[in-house]
Amino acid sequence: MSPLVAEFNNYRERMNEVILSKNNLVMKRLWNLDTNTYEAGALDKKTKEMLGLVASMVLRCDDCIKYHLGKSHELGVNTEEMYELFAVANIVGGTIVVPHTRRAAEYWEALVNN
Amino acid sequence: MSPLVAEFNNYRERMNEVILSKNNLVMKRLWNLDTNTYEAGALDKKTKEMLGLVASMVLRCDDCIKYHLGKSHELGVNTEEMYELFAVANIVGGTIVVPHTRRAAEYWEALVNN
Amino acid sequence: MSPLVAEFNNYRERMNEVILSKNNLVMKRLWNLDTNTYEAGALDKKTKEMLGLVASMVLRCDDCIKYHLGKSHELGVNTEEMYELFAVANIVGGTIVVPHTRRAAEYWEALVNN
Amino acid sequence: MSPLVAEFNNYRERMNEVILSKNNLVMKRLWNLDTNTYEAGALDKKTKEMLGLVASMVLRCDDCIKYHLGKSHELGVNTEEMYELFAVANIVGGTIVVPHTRRAAEYWEALVNN
Amino acid sequence: MSPLVAEFNNYRERMNEVILSKNNLVMKRLWNLDTNTYEAGALDKKTKEMLGLVASMVLRCDDCIKYHLGKSHELGVNTEEMYELFAVANIVGGTIVVPHTRRAAEYWEALVNN
Amino acid sequence: MSPLVAEFNNYRERMNEVILSKNNLVMKRLWNLDTNTYEAGALDKKTKEMLGLVASMVLRCDDCIKYHLGKSHELGVNTEEMYELFAVANIVGGTIVVPHTRRAAEYWEALVNN
């Protein structure tokens, strides 16, 4: 695993544990529901991850983008598909999405070249 | 065509004409580029429209939502798929997306029941 | 009930029924969770509704604002408290919150003067 | 005055009076400060109104847009300049700004053709 | 003081001095007004800080969140109350608030465990 | 060139190359269009850069802000003008713009004092 990916995963897991240790029921149930949302249904898992990714891009949430990039990579999205998704995000969301696309491109390279 | 859909289309066309009549080159080229973005490529047109729709939902742009609902309907997205897309938008974007989902649901009924 | 409040409630209920009739499990569970979030806990219901309201104001979601204004009124928030909440929303979110504050003020009058 | 402009101004004035009648000091001082912000200084009034307008466009606040369109028209911004400003807003903010640009174009016609 | 808290405070103070040294009157008055907004009135200081915090969370402003976490800690908000506030922010704002909640949780631990 | 400016430019150029190497036509054309948007027309280049900057500030995109700060500096915007622009951004966008203004102030010092 590339250092960029490992660092993201480690911080995420460590802080998720802190949050879950406080036993807030709404937070726990929201996270379970989040997992269910991306399960295969009428739409397959790959499509759903791409939906979650493009939503995260236009909302400019770098950590959400990294998470969905990782999942999309696991589910077999290829680089040409990914850049077409990036294009939709940049057209809908405008040039303010460009800096987030740079960081997404860097993280995608780390996932693909590993 | 339902009155809700016709009213949206008419206003959109009328004001697009006003904007294009001013001959601003950047606006014209952006609109051409917008059309290109949703052409079939590595991803098919249906997937791209769904990406544009979920992005519009989390950004809470009612008119953008209506436009992509219309295109998604033309491209054969069914109601079960649509509500799974709505679910992704509501989980990623939170309950502030709910009022926009209500208006999307109303417009979707108008498209489907026509 | 004032016409402004009745119109909001009617549309909301009618479209919620449409959405629930599609049996999307994620949407249903998100709505249940939304209800749980505002139950009394370490924070009381009035404080939680005010938190939901100020969040809705800075995110500029008029229908969310109306909903939480209604609940806040039921729970006994008075006009002076409400305008201090409006002030926080306008300082944090800036003058783009002002038009939403106008509509909130109109709806609040409809709730209070009924 | 065109009906579109008159309706906007009337509602705005009426609700501003309601808000000011509650004597919330933070709201009053914020509104005074808002007025000061657009006074001539190192930058002239026309430039400042255009800055306020483009900010309102990318934040997609229709009523803020209408207000700054009115002021920009009074200060002599012409249609070609206005559409170059629209172009910046659409490039920075993406195609989600387009529906707001349509409504801005309609309001601008009402101001210019009066 | 924990290093995380000290680093935030130091950078904030240092850059506030740079900004104030330029003598822009609007910036100075906005900052004074910001201070007034959170003074006790019809709502007490603790409630107002919580309103400022939840608004900062849904707007996903990490530095604003840190500032209001510090103030909330000083005013006696406890961890159970804080996580109920986090829950409101995550339900209203959706899962894009989660990464900001992780950083908020880390900072809250730094405040509480010092 | 100050280290802060050099670091920004280097990362930006390096990742732009990665993105362009994938030959996504929409991304390439959007970037060309972005360049055209800021060319002199009815509005001069300095005004257009200031429009792009204030839009980036209220949308709270730090990297976009840095880019337009660099261009504005090249085009002769002075510190007093810049802080009046900062004031518009903070009034329109609220105190959530303050942390981004701190980082903008730091970067501006790096540009001016070099």
Side-chain angles (χ1 to χ4, degrees):
Chain A
M1 194 179 289
S2 101
L4 192 63
V5 178
E7 187 191 14
F8 170 70
N9 287 341
N10 291 346
Y11 180 78
R12 185 174 174 277
E13 277 167 38
R14 192 154 50 82
M15 296 317 303
N16 281 4
E17 275 174 35
V18 171
I19 293 172
L20 290 173
S21 76
K22 308 302 182 189
N23 289 311
N24 181 286
L25 197 59
V26 173
M27 291 300 294
K28 284 193 174 181
R29 289 179 59 193
L30 180 60
W31 288 10
N32 284 336
L33 192 49
D34 184 39
T35 304
N36 296 153
T37 305
Y38 298 97
E39 296 297 331
L43 297 173
D44 59 29
K45 288 172 94 156
K46 183 183 154 184
T47 302
K48 285 186 164 187
E49 281 301 328
M50 289 195 294
L51 293 176
L53 176 53
V54 81
S56 301
M57 287 190 80
V58 296
L59 290 171
R60 301 159 50 211
C61 173
D62 287 327
D63 284 4
C64 312
I65 292 170
K66 284 176 179 170
Y67 176 79
H68 288 295
L69 283 171
K71 287 285 180 189
S72 296
H73 184 248
E74 280 171 38
L75 292 163
V77 177
N78 67 35
T79 297
E80 198 179 353
E81 292 170 325
M82 186 51 74
Y83 273 75
E84 293 192 4
L85 184 155
F86 289 176
V88 173
N90 280 267
I91 284 293
V92 173
T95 57
I96 47 159
V97 179
V98 172
H100 305 272
T101 306
R102 280 188 205 112
R103 288 188 282 273
E106 183 183 30
Y107 198 82
W108 185 251
E109 294 299 298
L111 289 164
V112 168
N113 295 331
N114 213 48
Chain B
M1 193 180 290
S2 101
L4 191 63
V5 177
E7 185 191 18
F8 171 70
N9 287 341
N10 291 346
Y11 179 77
R12 184 175 175 276
E13 276 166 39
R14 192 156 49 85
M15 296 317 302
N16 280 3
E17 274 173 37
V18 172
I19 293 173
L20 290 173
S21 76
K22 308 301 182 188
N23 289 310
N24 182 285
L25 197 59
V26 172
M27 291 301 294
K28 285 193 173 180
R29 289 179 59 193
L30 180 61
W31 289 9
N32 284 335
L33 193 48
D34 183 39
T35 304
N36 296 154
T37 305
Y38 298 97
E39 295 297 330
L43 298 172
D44 59 29
K45 287 172 95 157
K46 182 182 156 186
T47 302
K48 285 185 164 187
E49 281 301 328
M50 289 194 296
L51 294 175
L53 177 53
V54 80
S56 301
M57 287 190 80
V58 295
L59 290 172
R60 302 160 48 213
C61 174
D62 287 327
D63 284 3
C64 311
I65 292 170
K66 284 176 180 171
Y67 177 79
H68 288 295
L69 284 171
K71 286 286 179 188
S72 296
H73 184 248
E74 279 171 39
L75 292 165
V77 177
N78 66 37
T79 296
E80 197 178 354
E81 292 170 325
M82 186 50 74
Y83 274 75
E84 293 193 3
L85 184 155
F86 288 176
V88 173
N90 279 267
I91 285 292
V92 173
T95 57
I96 47 158
V97 179
V98 172
H100 305 272
T101 306
R102 279 188 205 111
R103 289 188 282 272
E106 183 183 31
Y107 198 82
W108 185 251
E109 295 298 299
L111 289 164
V112 168
N113 295 330
N114 213 49
Chain C
M1 195 179 289
S2 101
L4 192 63
V5 177
E7 186 191 16
F8 171 70
N9 287 341
N10 292 346
Y11 180 78
R12 184 173 175 277
E13 276 166 40
R14 191 155 50 83
M15 295 318 304
N16 281 4
E17 275 173 38
V18 172
I19 293 173
L20 290 172
S21 76
K22 308 302 181 188
N23 290 311
N24 181 286
L25 197 60
V26 173
M27 291 300 295
K28 285 192 175 183
R29 289 180 59 194
L30 180 60
W31 289 8
N32 284 336
L33 193 49
D34 184 38
T35 304
N36 296 154
T37 305
Y38 298 97
E39 296 297 331
L43 298 173
D44 59 29
K45 286 172 96 157
K46 182 182 156 186
T47 302
K48 285 185 165 188
E49 280 301 328
M50 289 195 294
L51 293 176
L53 176 54
V54 81
S56 301
M57 287 191 79
V58 296
L59 290 171
R60 301 159 49 212
C61 174
D62 287 327
D63 284 4
C64 313
I65 292 170
K66 284 176 179 169
Y67 176 80
H68 288 295
L69 283 171
K71 287 284 181 189
S72 297
H73 183 248
E74 280 172 38
L75 293 164
V77 178
N78 66 36
T79 297
E80 197 178 354
E81 291 170 326
M82 186 51 74
Y83 273 75
E84 293 192 4
L85 183 154
F86 288 175
V88 173
N90 279 268
I91 285 293
V92 173
T95 57
I96 47 160
V97 179
V98 173
H100 305 273
T101 306
R102 281 188 205 110
R103 290 188 282 273
E106 182 183 31
Y107 198 83
W108 185 252
E109 294 299 298
L111 289 163
V112 168
N113 295 331
N114 212 50
Chain D
M1 194 180 289
S2 102
L4 191 63
V5 177
E7 186 192 16
F8 170 70
N9 287 341
N10 292 346
Y11 180 77
R12 185 175 175 276
E13 276 166 40
R14 192 155 49 85
M15 296 317 303
N16 281 4
E17 275 173 36
V18 171
I19 293 173
L20 290 173
S21 75
K22 307 303 180 189
N23 290 310
N24 181 286
L25 196 60
V26 173
M27 291 300 294
K28 284 192 173 182
R29 289 179 58 193
L30 180 60
W31 288 9
N32 283 336
L33 193 48
D34 183 38
T35 304
N36 296 154
T37 305
Y38 297 97
E39 295 298 330
L43 298 172
D44 59 30
K45 286 172 95 157
K46 183 182 155 187
T47 302
K48 285 185 165 188
E49 281 301 329
M50 289 195 295
L51 293 176
L53 176 53
V54 81
S56 300
M57 287 191 80
V58 296
L59 290 172
R60 301 158 50 211
C61 174
D62 287 327
D63 284 3
C64 312
I65 292 169
K66 284 176 180 169
Y67 176 79
H68 288 295
L69 283 171
K71 288 283 181 191
S72 296
H73 184 248
E74 280 172 38
L75 293 164
V77 177
N78 67 36
T79 298
E80 197 179 354
E81 291 170 326
M82 186 50 75
Y83 274 75
E84 293 192 5
L85 184 154
F86 289 176
V88 172
N90 279 266
I91 285 292
V92 173
T95 57
I96 47 159
V97 179
V98 173
H100 305 272
T101 305
R102 279 189 205 110
R103 289 187 282 273
E106 183 183 29
Y107 198 83
W108 184 251
E109 294 298 298
L111 289 163
V112 168
N113 295 331
N114 212 48
Chain E
M1 195 180 287
S2 102
L4 191 63
V5 177
E7 186 190 17
F8 170 70
N9 287 341
N10 292 344
Y11 180 77
R12 185 174 174 276
E13 277 166 40
R14 191 154 51 84
M15 296 317 303
N16 281 4
E17 276 172 37
V18 172
I19 293 172
L20 290 173
S21 76
K22 307 302 181 188
N23 289 311
N24 181 286
L25 197 61
V26 173
M27 291 300 296
K28 284 194 173 180
R29 288 179 59 193
L30 180 60
W31 289 9
N32 284 336
L33 193 48
D34 184 39
T35 304
N36 296 154
T37 305
Y38 298 98
E39 296 298 330
L43 298 173
D44 59 30
K45 287 173 95 157
K46 182 182 156 186
T47 302
K48 285 186 163 188
E49 281 301 329
M50 289 195 294
L51 293 176
L53 177 53
V54 80
S56 300
M57 287 191 80
V58 296
L59 290 172
R60 299 158 52 210
C61 174
D62 287 327
D63 284 2
C64 312
I65 292 169
K66 284 177 180 169
Y67 177 79
H68 287 295
L69 283 171
K71 286 285 180 188
S72 297
H73 184 247
E74 280 171 39
L75 292 165
V77 177
N78 67 35
T79 297
E80 197 178 354
E81 291 170 325
M82 186 51 74
Y83 273 75
E84 292 192 5
L85 183 155
F86 288 176
V88 173
N90 279 267
I91 284 293
V92 173
T95 57
I96 48 158
V97 180
V98 172
H100 304 273
T101 306
R102 279 188 205 112
R103 288 188 283 272
E106 183 183 30
Y107 198 82
W108 184 251
E109 295 298 297
L111 289 164
V112 169
N113 295 331
N114 212 49
Chain F
M1 194 179 289
S2 100
L4 192 62
V5 178
E7 186 190 17
F8 171 69
N9 288 340
N10 291 345
Y11 179 77
R12 184 174 175 277
E13 276 166 39
R14 192 154 51 83
M15 295 318 301
N16 281 4
E17 275 173 37
V18 171
I19 293 173
L20 290 172
S21 75
K22 307 302 182 188
N23 290 310
N24 182 285
L25 197 60
V26 173
M27 292 300 295
K28 285 192 173 182
R29 288 180 59 194
L30 180 61
W31 289 9
N32 284 335
L33 193 49
D34 183 40
T35 304
N36 297 154
T37 305
Y38 298 98
E39 296 297 331
L43 298 172
D44 59 29
K45 289 173 92 157
K46 182 182 156 186
T47 302
K48 285 186 164 187
E49 281 301 328
M50 289 195 294
L51 294 176
L53 176 53
V54 80
S56 300
M57 287 191 80
V58 295
L59 290 172
R60 301 159 50 212
C61 174
D62 288 327
D63 284 3
C64 312
I65 292 169
K66 284 176 180 170
Y67 177 79
H68 288 295
L69 283 171
K71 287 284 180 190
S72 297
H73 184 248
E74 280 171 39
L75 292 164
V77 177
N78 67 37
T79 297
E80 197 178 353
E81 292 170 324
M82 186 50 74
Y83 274 74
E84 293 192 5
L85 184 154
F86 289 175
V88 173
N90 280 266
I91 285 292
V92 174
T95 57
I96 48 158
V97 179
V98 172
H100 304 273
T101 306
R102 280 187 205 112
R103 288 187 284 273
E106 182 183 32
Y107 198 82
W108 184 252
E109 295 298 298
L111 289 164
V112 169
N113 296 331
N114 212 49

